[in-house]
Amino acid sequence: MSEVDSYAREPTRRHDMTVNAPQPYNAEPPVEIIRSHYVTPTDYFYVRNHAPVPDINPHKYKFVVDGMVAKPREVSLHELKAKYTHHTVMCTLMCAGNRRTEMSNLKTVKGVGWGNAALSNAIWKGVRLCDVLEDVGAEMDNPHLHVDFYGGDPCVEENYKKGYGSSIPMSKAADPQGDVILAFEMNGEPLPRDHGFPVRVIVPGYIGARSVKWLKSITVKSDESESFFQRRDYKVFLPSVNWDNVNDWWDRTPSLAGLSVQAAITNPKLSEAIATGSSYTVSGYALSGGNRIVRVDISLDGGKSWQTARIFPGEEKGHDNRYWAWAFWDFHVDQFPSPCEIVCKALDIGNNGMPDDLAQIWNLRGVMNNSWHHVSVPAKSKY
Ligand SMILES: Nc1nc2c(c(=O)[nH]1)N[C@H]1C(S)=C(S)[C@@H](COP(=O)(O)O)O[C@H]1N2
Ligand SMILES: [Mo]
């Protein structure tokens, strides 16, 4: 099958997504959608693909569990659902490339450009990875092990001919409180093809890249995944690292795992004008890799003075004190001071915050941009 033909069987998609790359398909919802649904409607959930979408027959589907396990085996979809206890997790997935375009605007980075909507929230149902690992006799208390996942996408690029892969440490995989699941449902329906039908991994609190779709294999190993996406992509380098010296940095730079604190303004959106003196509610999202967001600060004067936003849904959305889903926030302004520059930043309960200066965290791959989010608001005549 030629590279062109391999895209002939892509799923049907909404036409109002912002398409950042058509083949492989990469798209984020319109930013106003993000903030109007706490649980993102499935067909608006952002899509990050590295290859054509495989067309998998669920009746023939199996994944393999092997490597350093006592009883390697294959598991069919039917067996997965019938044999293990079902577990539901509400979890926001965010691509590490969220807000990459802001980084590129400072200095070009490599990778698909993304605005501030490369994240979405869903209710996932599946079985706990730790239950499957226990069943195959993995050494779950060995902190030096890694659990390596491969997906069934037909990768064609030289760099990732072996397919899409990624790994997580055993400490996360084996932890029942880590909530890592092999999901077969999203928002009460079977997974759509774009999101990994029939089975994907969901790794709450980690960058989206670790939540491998179209799961083909789970391998317990003594080292992290050999995959391009573990060893090359999704690493944060110093701003001084460039394509001439990056070879010195690949192996000594750790692969991204957990998410940092992130927050962004969704309303107003970029270059939306607001009438001077009118009443307006600024709003957006905030999330962390599992901690509760406790403060979102808003400035209407470019960061000189700050006030705090209202955060919701608040504590009740945590799952036994784990906050895998985003928080929403809003900040009402009686008399909007446009033209002005809105800035937002968030803190989690560990008092982890966000860096103020994008230039300090600029990196070659354009990942983990969690610098203070700025939106310049032009004035609009009231009449
Ligand atoms: N098999 C496979 N899994 C994958 C990917 C992929 O291209 N192939 N992309 C990863 C990346 S980088 C992200 S951010 C998330 C996106 O998940 P979504 O498309 O369901 O939003 O899936 C991850 N899992
Ligand atoms: Mo990603």
Side-chain angles (χ1 to χ4, degrees):
M1 201 157 53
S2 79
E3 197 170 326
V4 174
D5 289 337
S6 56
Y7 285 101
R9 309 202 55 187
E10 292 285 284
T12 46
R13 294 156 174 146
R14 297 195 67 95
H15 295 295
D16 57 349
M17 299 287 277
T18 304
V19 179
N20 297 317
Q23 291 183 342
Y25 183 74
N26 285 284
E28 59 191 297
V31 75
E32 53 272 24
I33 290 295
I34 286 287
R35 200 37 190 71
S36 35
H37 308 269
Y38 188 72
V39 174
T40 313
T42 303
D43 57 350
Y44 271 127
F45 201 99
Y46 84 99
V47 180
R48 201 320 174 210
N49 291 339
H50 289 83
V53 177
D55 202 355
I56 298 172
N57 178 341
H59 305 293
K60 294 195 182 144
Y61 171 79
K62 280 178 177 151
F63 65 86
V64 58
V65 194
D66 62 7
M68 298 165 71
V69 302
K71 298 167 282 181
R73 72 162 58 121
E74 287 184 332
V75 182
S76 69
L77 180 61
H78 174 77
E79 229 185 313
L80 183 75
K81 289 182 177 172
K83 192 166 179 191
Y84 305 96
T85 308
H86 294 186
H87 186 66
T88 299
V89 185
M90 185 190 284
C91 167
T92 301
L93 285 188
M94 183 176 77
C95 182
N98 190 32
R99 301 179 55 200
R100 178 180 279 146
T101 300
E102 288 166 56
M103 251 188 208
S104 266
N105 290 344
L106 191 68
K107 194 168 106 187
T108 305
V109 297
K110 188 169 175 173
V112 177
W114 293 95
N116 60 349
L119 80 174
S120 301
N121 189 31
I123 299 165
W124 309 92
K125 183 158 122 184
V127 311
R128 281 191 153 106
L129 175 62
C130 58
D131 290 348
V132 176
L133 289 176
E134 188 173 20
D135 195 32
V136 296
E139 269 178 64
M140 293 167 68
D141 52 3
N142 183 339
H144 304 296
L145 297 182
H146 296 258
V147 181
D148 189 2
F149 311 110
Y150 266 89
D153 15 5
C155 290
V156 284
E157 282 216 23
E158 194 55 42
N159 278 335
Y160 30 97
K161 269 205 174 121
K162 276 189 273 169
Y164 185 92
S166 229
S167 62
I168 59 172
M170 179 60 96
S171 55
K172 174 72 174 171
D175 179 7
Q177 306 270 307
D179 286 326
V180 180
I181 60 169
L182 308 179
F184 45 76
E185 263 182 39
M186 177 179 184
N187 299 335
E189 304 279 345
L191 290 177
R193 283 179 60 212
D194 261 333
H195 300 292
F197 180 82
V199 177
R200 81 175 299 170
V201 186
I202 291 291
V203 186
Y206 274 40
I207 61 166
R210 309 296 174 234
S211 291
V212 173
K213 305 193 272 190
W214 312 294
L215 180 65
K216 197 168 73 179
S217 63
I218 302 176
T219 307
V220 178
K221 297 173 60 195
S222 56
D223 205 356
E224 64 177 359
S225 181
E226 297 293 332
S227 155
F228 175 84
F229 302 95
Q230 194 76 21
R231 300 288 177 113
R232 289 293 180 266
D233 211 344
Y234 301 114
K235 294 193 170 193
V236 179
F237 302 108
L238 286 169
S240 58
V241 174
N242 56 44
W243 291 110
D244 297 325
N245 61 19
V246 69
N247 284 340
D248 301 336
W249 291 93
W250 293 124
D251 292 338
R252 54 181 159 127
T253 304
S255 315
L256 285 170
L259 291 168
S260 36
V261 175
Q262 170 72 288
I265 301 155
T266 55
N267 305 77
K269 57 183 176 183
L270 223 56
S271 61
E272 181 179 331
I274 299 174
T276 309
S278 63
S279 105
Y280 188 88
T281 302
V282 178
S283 62
Y285 62 77
L287 73 158
S288 81
N291 288 331
R292 185 155 68 91
I293 295 292
V294 294
R295 219 175 79 202
V296 174
D297 303 343
I298 303 297
S299 170
L300 300 176
D301 55 12
K304 289 193 205 74
S305 64
W306 297 90
Q307 299 179 74
T308 56
R310 177 181 74 107
I311 302 170
F312 57 101
E315 278 181 81
E316 71 276 13
K317 277 292 175 197
H319 176 64
D320 296 341
N321 256 339
R322 308 191 290 285
Y323 293 83
W324 306 131
W326 54 17
F328 278 177
W329 55 264
D330 60 27
F331 180 72
H332 186 73
V333 187
D334 281 334
Q335 293 194 309
F336 205 82
S338 49
C340 69
E341 184 164 324
I342 316 176
V343 191
C344 91
K345 60 184 164 86
L347 279 180
D348 74 4
I349 197 154
N351 205 40
N352 302 299
M354 294 161 55
D356 58 346
D357 185 2
L358 176 59
Q360 300 300 320
I361 59 162
W362 183 96
N363 62 84
L364 198 60
R365 307 291 327 210
V367 288
M368 296 301 245
N369 178 11
N370 70 334
S371 58
W372 294 2
H373 189 226
H374 294 248
V375 172
S376 292
V377 187
K380 178 172 75 179
S381 153
K382 242 179 166 173
Y383 309 100

PDB file of all heavy atoms in Angstrom, residues 224-251:
ATOM      1  N   GLU A 224      13.855   1.878  29.401  1.00  0.00           N
ATOM      2  CA  GLU A 224      12.686   2.488  28.783  1.00  0.00           C
ATOM      3  C   GLU A 224      12.582   2.136  27.301  1.00  0.00           C
ATOM      4  O   GLU A 224      13.505   1.576  26.724  1.00  0.00           O
ATOM      5  CB  GLU A 224      12.655   4.001  29.025  1.00  0.00           C
ATOM      6  CG  GLU A 224      13.785   4.751  28.410  1.00  0.00           C
ATOM      7  CD  GLU A 224      13.649   6.268  28.616  1.00  0.00           C
ATOM      8  OE1 GLU A 224      12.669   6.737  29.211  1.00  0.00           O
ATOM      9  OE2 GLU A 224      14.564   6.966  28.171  1.00  0.00           O
ATOM     10  N   SER A 225      11.446   2.465  26.705  1.00  0.00           N
ATOM     11  CA  SER A 225      11.176   2.119  25.310  1.00  0.00           C
ATOM     12  C   SER A 225      12.293   2.609  24.387  1.00  0.00           C
ATOM     13  O   SER A 225      12.847   3.687  24.585  1.00  0.00           O
ATOM     14  CB  SER A 225       9.849   2.742  24.874  1.00  0.00           C
ATOM     15  OG  SER A 225       9.553   2.402  23.540  1.00  0.00           O
ATOM     16  N   GLU A 226      12.600   1.797  23.367  1.00  0.00           N
ATOM     17  CA  GLU A 226      13.592   2.192  22.354  1.00  0.00           C
ATOM     18  C   GLU A 226      12.978   3.144  21.347  1.00  0.00           C
ATOM     19  O   GLU A 226      13.662   3.656  20.465  1.00  0.00           O
ATOM     20  CB  GLU A 226      14.063   0.946  21.575  1.00  0.00           C
ATOM     21  CG  GLU A 226      14.775  -0.113  22.414  1.00  0.00           C
ATOM     22  CD  GLU A 226      16.102   0.388  22.943  1.00  0.00           C
ATOM     23  OE1 GLU A 226      16.712   1.265  22.288  1.00  0.00           O
ATOM     24  OE2 GLU A 226      16.519  -0.085  24.021  1.00  0.00           O
ATOM     25  N   SER A 227      11.677   3.343  21.436  1.00  0.00           N
ATOM     26  CA  SER A 227      10.956   4.119  20.437  1.00  0.00           C
ATOM     27  C   SER A 227      11.490   5.546  20.291  1.00  0.00           C
ATOM     28  O   SER A 227      11.913   6.184  21.255  1.00  0.00           O
ATOM     29  CB  SER A 227       9.476   4.153  20.831  1.00  0.00           C
ATOM     30  OG  SER A 227       8.851   5.288  20.292  1.00  0.00           O
ATOM     31  N   PHE A 228      11.387   6.037  19.076  1.00  0.00           N
ATOM     32  CA  PHE A 228      11.711   7.431  18.753  1.00  0.00           C
ATOM     33  C   PHE A 228      10.977   8.393  19.703  1.00  0.00           C
ATOM     34  O   PHE A 228      11.530   9.401  20.135  1.00  0.00           O
ATOM     35  CB  PHE A 228      11.266   7.671  17.301  1.00  0.00           C
ATOM     36  CG  PHE A 228      11.402   9.077  16.821  1.00  0.00           C
ATOM     37  CD1 PHE A 228      12.617   9.553  16.331  1.00  0.00           C
ATOM     38  CD2 PHE A 228      10.312   9.940  16.845  1.00  0.00           C
ATOM     39  CE1 PHE A 228      12.738  10.858  15.877  1.00  0.00           C
ATOM     40  CE2 PHE A 228      10.427  11.249  16.385  1.00  0.00           C
ATOM     41  CZ  PHE A 228      11.643  11.705  15.910  1.00  0.00           C
ATOM     42  N   PHE A 229       9.741   8.045  20.044  1.00  0.00           N
ATOM     43  CA  PHE A 229       8.899   8.954  20.846  1.00  0.00           C
ATOM     44  C   PHE A 229       9.294   8.972  22.323  1.00  0.00           C
ATOM     45  O   PHE A 229       8.883   9.842  23.069  1.00  0.00           O
ATOM     46  CB  PHE A 229       7.419   8.580  20.680  1.00  0.00           C
ATOM     47  CG  PHE A 229       7.024   8.651  19.244  1.00  0.00           C
ATOM     48  CD1 PHE A 229       7.035   7.516  18.449  1.00  0.00           C
ATOM     49  CD2 PHE A 229       6.739   9.868  18.659  1.00  0.00           C
ATOM     50  CE1 PHE A 229       6.732   7.591  17.102  1.00  0.00           C
ATOM     51  CE2 PHE A 229       6.440   9.953  17.314  1.00  0.00           C
ATOM     52  CZ  PHE A 229       6.438   8.810  16.530  1.00  0.00           C
ATOM     53  N   GLN A 230      10.123   7.992  22.713  1.00  0.00           N
ATOM     54  CA  GLN A 230      10.648   7.979  24.069  1.00  0.00           C
ATOM     55  C   GLN A 230      12.053   8.573  24.092  1.00  0.00           C
ATOM     56  O   GLN A 230      12.403   9.321  24.987  1.00  0.00           O
ATOM     57  CB  GLN A 230      10.695   6.530  24.582  1.00  0.00           C
ATOM     58  CG  GLN A 230      10.911   6.414  26.074  1.00  0.00           C
ATOM     59  CD  GLN A 230       9.659   6.734  26.865  1.00  0.00           C
ATOM     60  OE1 GLN A 230       8.553   6.670  26.342  1.00  0.00           O
ATOM     61  NE2 GLN A 230       9.829   7.094  28.118  1.00  0.00           N
ATOM     62  N   ARG A 231      12.847   8.235  23.053  1.00  0.00           N
ATOM     63  CA  ARG A 231      14.284   8.555  23.081  1.00  0.00           C
ATOM     64  C   ARG A 231      14.646   9.858  22.383  1.00  0.00           C
ATOM     65  O   ARG A 231      15.717  10.416  22.634  1.00  0.00           O
ATOM     66  CB  ARG A 231      15.080   7.406  22.442  1.00  0.00           C
ATOM     67  CG  ARG A 231      14.915   6.062  23.129  1.00  0.00           C
ATOM     68  CD  ARG A 231      15.636   6.070  24.452  1.00  0.00           C
ATOM     69  NE  ARG A 231      15.443   4.819  25.171  1.00  0.00           N
ATOM     70  CZ  ARG A 231      16.412   3.938  25.409  1.00  0.00           C
ATOM     71  NH1 ARG A 231      17.632   4.155  24.970  1.00  0.00           N
ATOM     72  NH2 ARG A 231      16.160   2.845  26.095  1.00  0.00           N
ATOM     73  N   ARG A 232      13.775  10.320  21.462  1.00  0.00           N
ATOM     74  CA  ARG A 232      14.131  11.497  20.669  1.00  0.00           C
ATOM     75  C   ARG A 232      13.131  12.639  20.843  1.00  0.00           C
ATOM     76  O   ARG A 232      13.474  13.754  21.154  1.00  0.00           O
ATOM     77  CB  ARG A 232      14.238  11.112  19.183  1.00  0.00           C
ATOM     78  CG  ARG A 232      15.459  10.262  18.880  1.00  0.00           C
ATOM     79  CD  ARG A 232      16.736  11.054  19.087  1.00  0.00           C
ATOM     80  NE  ARG A 232      17.940  10.286  18.809  1.00  0.00           N
ATOM     81  CZ  ARG A 232      18.626   9.625  19.732  1.00  0.00           C
ATOM     82  NH1 ARG A 232      18.222   9.607  20.993  1.00  0.00           N
ATOM     83  NH2 ARG A 232      19.724   8.977  19.404  1.00  0.00           N
ATOM     84  N   ASP A 233      11.884  12.302  20.616  1.00  0.00           N
ATOM     85  CA  ASP A 233      10.856  13.332  20.738  1.00  0.00           C
ATOM     86  C   ASP A 233      10.523  13.492  22.225  1.00  0.00           C
ATOM     87  O   ASP A 233      10.971  12.712  23.056  1.00  0.00           O
ATOM     88  CB  ASP A 233       9.618  12.861  19.964  1.00  0.00           C
ATOM     89  CG  ASP A 233       8.836  14.030  19.381  1.00  0.00           C
ATOM     90  OD1 ASP A 233       9.068  15.171  19.815  1.00  0.00           O
ATOM     91  OD2 ASP A 233       7.990  13.792  18.500  1.00  0.00           O
ATOM     92  N   TYR A 234       9.712  14.513  22.547  1.00  0.00           N
ATOM     93  CA  TYR A 234       9.206  14.681  23.917  1.00  0.00           C
ATOM     94  C   TYR A 234      10.298  14.752  24.972  1.00  0.00           C
ATOM     95  O   TYR A 234      10.264  14.060  25.991  1.00  0.00           O
ATOM     96  CB  TYR A 234       8.164  13.589  24.237  1.00  0.00           C
ATOM     97  CG  TYR A 234       7.015  13.640  23.270  1.00  0.00           C
ATOM     98  CD1 TYR A 234       6.780  12.608  22.369  1.00  0.00           C
ATOM     99  CD2 TYR A 234       6.201  14.769  23.210  1.00  0.00           C
ATOM    100  CE1 TYR A 234       5.746  12.698  21.436  1.00  0.00           C
ATOM    101  CE2 TYR A 234       5.172  14.858  22.281  1.00  0.00           C
ATOM    102  CZ  TYR A 234       4.956  13.821  21.407  1.00  0.00           C
ATOM    103  OH  TYR A 234       3.946  13.908  20.492  1.00  0.00           O
ATOM    104  N   LYS A 235      11.303  15.592  24.695  1.00  0.00           N
ATOM    105  CA  LYS A 235      12.332  15.895  25.679  1.00  0.00           C
ATOM    106  C   LYS A 235      12.479  17.406  25.725  1.00  0.00           C
ATOM    107  O   LYS A 235      12.359  18.069  24.695  1.00  0.00           O
ATOM    108  CB  LYS A 235      13.670  15.254  25.290  1.00  0.00           C
ATOM    109  CG  LYS A 235      13.636  13.735  25.322  1.00  0.00           C
ATOM    110  CD  LYS A 235      15.011  13.121  25.251  1.00  0.00           C
ATOM    111  CE  LYS A 235      14.908  11.623  25.551  1.00  0.00           C
ATOM    112  NZ  LYS A 235      16.207  10.997  25.813  1.00  0.00           N
ATOM    113  N   VAL A 236      12.770  17.943  26.901  1.00  0.00           N
ATOM    114  CA  VAL A 236      12.958  19.388  27.043  1.00  0.00           C
ATOM    115  C   VAL A 236      14.447  19.695  27.155  1.00  0.00           C
ATOM    116  O   VAL A 236      15.104  19.271  28.097  1.00  0.00           O
ATOM    117  CB  VAL A 236      12.233  19.934  28.302  1.00  0.00           C
ATOM    118  CG1 VAL A 236      12.462  21.434  28.437  1.00  0.00           C
ATOM    119  CG2 VAL A 236      10.737  19.647  28.233  1.00  0.00           C
ATOM    120  N   PHE A 237      14.956  20.390  26.156  1.00  0.00           N
ATOM    121  CA  PHE A 237      16.375  20.776  26.158  1.00  0.00           C
ATOM    122  C   PHE A 237      16.526  22.217  26.628  1.00  0.00           C
ATOM    123  O   PHE A 237      15.558  22.984  26.623  1.00  0.00           O
ATOM    124  CB  PHE A 237      16.951  20.651  24.744  1.00  0.00           C
ATOM    125  CG  PHE A 237      16.821  19.278  24.168  1.00  0.00           C
ATOM    126  CD1 PHE A 237      15.930  19.015  23.153  1.00  0.00           C
ATOM    127  CD2 PHE A 237      17.610  18.240  24.654  1.00  0.00           C
ATOM    128  CE1 PHE A 237      15.797  17.738  22.621  1.00  0.00           C
ATOM    129  CE2 PHE A 237      17.487  16.959  24.131  1.00  0.00           C
ATOM    130  CZ  PHE A 237      16.578  16.701  23.111  1.00  0.00           C
ATOM    131  N   LEU A 238      17.747  22.580  26.982  1.00  0.00           N
ATOM    132  CA  LEU A 238      18.057  23.981  27.271  1.00  0.00           C
ATOM    133  C   LEU A 238      17.781  24.813  26.015  1.00  0.00           C
ATOM    134  O   LEU A 238      17.920  24.312  24.904  1.00  0.00           O
ATOM    135  CB  LEU A 238      19.561  24.132  27.581  1.00  0.00           C
ATOM    136  CG  LEU A 238      20.059  23.649  28.915  1.00  0.00           C
ATOM    137  CD1 LEU A 238      21.580  23.646  28.903  1.00  0.00           C
ATOM    138  CD2 LEU A 238      19.524  24.542  30.013  1.00  0.00           C
ATOM    139  N   PRO A 239      17.481  26.098  26.192  1.00  0.00           N
ATOM    140  CA  PRO A 239      17.256  26.935  25.013  1.00  0.00           C
ATOM    141  C   PRO A 239      18.463  26.983  24.065  1.00  0.00           C
ATOM    142  O   PRO A 239      18.307  27.228  22.871  1.00  0.00           O
ATOM    143  CB  PRO A 239      16.979  28.327  25.606  1.00  0.00           C
ATOM    144  CG  PRO A 239      16.455  28.053  26.981  1.00  0.00           C
ATOM    145  CD  PRO A 239      17.186  26.817  27.450  1.00  0.00           C
ATOM    146  N   SER A 240      19.660  26.722  24.579  1.00  0.00           N
ATOM    147  CA  SER A 240      20.863  26.800  23.740  1.00  0.00           C
ATOM    148  C   SER A 240      21.081  25.549  22.884  1.00  0.00           C
ATOM    149  O   SER A 240      21.957  25.531  22.018  1.00  0.00           O
ATOM    150  CB  SER A 240      22.090  27.023  24.619  1.00  0.00           C
ATOM    151  OG  SER A 240      22.191  25.969  25.553  1.00  0.00           O
ATOM    152  N   VAL A 241      20.318  24.506  23.122  1.00  0.00           N
ATOM    153  CA  VAL A 241      20.495  23.285  22.324  1.00  0.00           C
ATOM    154  C   VAL A 241      19.825  23.480  20.963  1.00  0.00           C
ATOM    155  O   VAL A 241      18.675  23.909  20.880  1.00  0.00           O
ATOM    156  CB  VAL A 241      19.913  22.051  23.055  1.00  0.00           C
ATOM    157  CG1 VAL A 241      19.961  20.810  22.168  1.00  0.00           C
ATOM    158  CG2 VAL A 241      20.663  21.815  24.358  1.00  0.00           C
ATOM    159  N   ASN A 242      20.583  23.203  19.899  1.00  0.00           N
ATOM    160  CA  ASN A 242      20.059  23.375  18.540  1.00  0.00           C
ATOM    161  C   ASN A 242      20.363  22.128  17.715  1.00  0.00           C
ATOM    162  O   ASN A 242      20.919  21.153  18.229  1.00  0.00           O
ATOM    163  CB  ASN A 242      20.658  24.636  17.905  1.00  0.00           C
ATOM    164  CG  ASN A 242      22.178  24.592  17.911  1.00  0.00           C
ATOM    165  OD1 ASN A 242      22.781  23.556  17.601  1.00  0.00           O
ATOM    166  ND2 ASN A 242      22.816  25.698  18.284  1.00  0.00           N
ATOM    167  N   TRP A 243      20.010  22.147  16.433  1.00  0.00           N
ATOM    168  CA  TRP A 243      20.188  20.933  15.624  1.00  0.00           C
ATOM    169  C   TRP A 243      21.656  20.595  15.386  1.00  0.00           C
ATOM    170  O   TRP A 243      21.966  19.486  14.978  1.00  0.00           O
ATOM    171  CB  TRP A 243      19.406  21.041  14.312  1.00  0.00           C
ATOM    172  CG  TRP A 243      17.935  20.995  14.587  1.00  0.00           C
ATOM    173  CD1 TRP A 243      17.045  22.019  14.464  1.00  0.00           C
ATOM    174  CD2 TRP A 243      17.186  19.886  15.115  1.00  0.00           C
ATOM    175  NE1 TRP A 243      15.796  21.624  14.890  1.00  0.00           N
ATOM    176  CE2 TRP A 243      15.846  20.317  15.285  1.00  0.00           C
ATOM    177  CE3 TRP A 243      17.506  18.573  15.475  1.00  0.00           C
ATOM    178  CZ2 TRP A 243      14.837  19.490  15.784  1.00  0.00           C
ATOM    179  CZ3 TRP A 243      16.501  17.747  15.968  1.00  0.00           C
ATOM    180  CH2 TRP A 243      15.196  18.201  16.114  1.00  0.00           C
ATOM    181  N   ASP A 244      22.565  21.504  15.656  1.00  0.00           N
ATOM    182  CA  ASP A 244      23.988  21.195  15.478  1.00  0.00           C
ATOM    183  C   ASP A 244      24.572  20.470  16.684  1.00  0.00           C
ATOM    184  O   ASP A 244      25.482  19.666  16.548  1.00  0.00           O
ATOM    185  CB  ASP A 244      24.793  22.482  15.236  1.00  0.00           C
ATOM    186  CG  ASP A 244      24.360  23.161  13.950  1.00  0.00           C
ATOM    187  OD1 ASP A 244      24.012  22.422  12.997  1.00  0.00           O
ATOM    188  OD2 ASP A 244      24.340  24.407  13.914  1.00  0.00           O
ATOM    189  N   ASN A 245      24.037  20.785  17.886  1.00  0.00           N
ATOM    190  CA  ASN A 245      24.653  20.161  19.068  1.00  0.00           C
ATOM    191  C   ASN A 245      23.732  19.179  19.792  1.00  0.00           C
ATOM    192  O   ASN A 245      24.096  18.627  20.821  1.00  0.00           O
ATOM    193  CB  ASN A 245      25.164  21.244  20.038  1.00  0.00           C
ATOM    194  CG  ASN A 245      24.032  22.151  20.552  1.00  0.00           C
ATOM    195  OD1 ASN A 245      22.859  21.797  20.479  1.00  0.00           O
ATOM    196  ND2 ASN A 245      24.392  23.317  21.082  1.00  0.00           N
ATOM    197  N   VAL A 246      22.548  18.951  19.239  1.00  0.00           N
ATOM    198  CA  VAL A 246      21.567  18.126  19.966  1.00  0.00           C
ATOM    199  C   VAL A 246      22.030  16.686  20.171  1.00  0.00           C
ATOM    200  O   VAL A 246      21.643  16.030  21.157  1.00  0.00           O
ATOM    201  CB  VAL A 246      20.178  18.180  19.282  1.00  0.00           C
ATOM    202  CG1 VAL A 246      20.188  17.466  17.931  1.00  0.00           C
ATOM    203  CG2 VAL A 246      19.090  17.610  20.185  1.00  0.00           C
ATOM    204  N   ASN A 247      22.921  16.173  19.299  1.00  0.00           N
ATOM    205  CA  ASN A 247      23.395  14.791  19.455  1.00  0.00           C
ATOM    206  C   ASN A 247      24.060  14.556  20.802  1.00  0.00           C
ATOM    207  O   ASN A 247      24.058  13.450  21.312  1.00  0.00           O
ATOM    208  CB  ASN A 247      24.352  14.417  18.324  1.00  0.00           C
ATOM    209  CG  ASN A 247      23.579  14.146  17.045  1.00  0.00           C
ATOM    210  OD1 ASN A 247      22.369  13.877  17.096  1.00  0.00           O
ATOM    211  ND2 ASN A 247      24.253  14.238  15.913  1.00  0.00           N
ATOM    212  N   ASP A 248      24.639  15.612  21.365  1.00  0.00           N
ATOM    213  CA  ASP A 248      25.276  15.484  22.681  1.00  0.00           C
ATOM    214  C   ASP A 248      24.241  15.408  23.801  1.00  0.00           C
ATOM    215  O   ASP A 248      24.594  15.143  24.942  1.00  0.00           O
ATOM    216  CB  ASP A 248      26.163  16.705  22.984  1.00  0.00           C
ATOM    217  CG  ASP A 248      27.246  16.878  21.943  1.00  0.00           C
ATOM    218  OD1 ASP A 248      27.602  15.879  21.293  1.00  0.00           O
ATOM    219  OD2 ASP A 248      27.731  18.018  21.779  1.00  0.00           O
ATOM    220  N   TRP A 249      23.015  15.727  23.478  1.00  0.00           N
ATOM    221  CA  TRP A 249      22.007  15.874  24.536  1.00  0.00           C
ATOM    222  C   TRP A 249      20.949  14.798  24.601  1.00  0.00           C
ATOM    223  O   TRP A 249      20.329  14.591  25.646  1.00  0.00           O
ATOM    224  CB  TRP A 249      21.304  17.248  24.382  1.00  0.00           C
ATOM    225  CG  TRP A 249      22.242  18.369  24.719  1.00  0.00           C
ATOM    226  CD1 TRP A 249      23.027  19.063  23.856  1.00  0.00           C
ATOM    227  CD2 TRP A 249      22.512  18.880  26.029  1.00  0.00           C
ATOM    228  NE1 TRP A 249      23.766  19.998  24.534  1.00  0.00           N
ATOM    229  CE2 TRP A 249      23.476  19.903  25.870  1.00  0.00           C
ATOM    230  CE3 TRP A 249      22.046  18.577  27.307  1.00  0.00           C
ATOM    231  CZ2 TRP A 249      23.982  20.625  26.953  1.00  0.00           C
ATOM    232  CZ3 TRP A 249      22.536  19.295  28.383  1.00  0.00           C
ATOM    233  CH2 TRP A 249      23.500  20.299  28.191  1.00  0.00           C
ATOM    234  N   TRP A 250      20.712  14.074  23.492  1.00  0.00           N
ATOM    235  CA  TRP A 250      19.605  13.104  23.481  1.00  0.00           C
ATOM    236  C   TRP A 250      19.631  12.192  24.702  1.00  0.00           C
ATOM    237  O   TRP A 250      18.671  12.127  25.459  1.00  0.00           O
ATOM    238  CB  TRP A 250      19.661  12.209  22.241  1.00  0.00           C
ATOM    239  CG  TRP A 250      19.411  12.847  20.915  1.00  0.00           C
ATOM    240  CD1 TRP A 250      20.263  12.814  19.848  1.00  0.00           C
ATOM    241  CD2 TRP A 250      18.253  13.576  20.482  1.00  0.00           C
ATOM    242  NE1 TRP A 250      19.698  13.481  18.776  1.00  0.00           N
ATOM    243  CE2 TRP A 250      18.462  13.948  19.139  1.00  0.00           C
ATOM    244  CE3 TRP A 250      17.063  13.944  21.106  1.00  0.00           C
ATOM    245  CZ2 TRP A 250      17.541  14.673  18.403  1.00  0.00           C
ATOM    246  CZ3 TRP A 250      16.130  14.659  20.386  1.00  0.00           C
ATOM    247  CH2 TRP A 250      16.372  15.014  19.049  1.00  0.00           C
ATOM    248  N   ASP A 251      20.779  11.493  24.851  1.00  0.00           N
ATOM    249  CA  ASP A 251      20.783  10.422  25.851  1.00  0.00           C
ATOM    250  C   ASP A 251      20.845  10.910  27.283  1.00  0.00           C
ATOM    251  O   ASP A 251      20.404  10.218  28.178  1.00  0.00           O
ATOM    252  CB  ASP A 251      21.927   9.439  25.568  1.00  0.00           C
ATOM    253  CG  ASP A 251      21.656   8.681  24.272  1.00  0.00           C
ATOM    254  OD1 ASP A 251      20.463   8.617  23.875  1.00  0.00           O
ATOM    255  OD2 ASP A 251      22.611   8.184  23.651  1.00  0.00           O
TER     256      ASP A 251
END
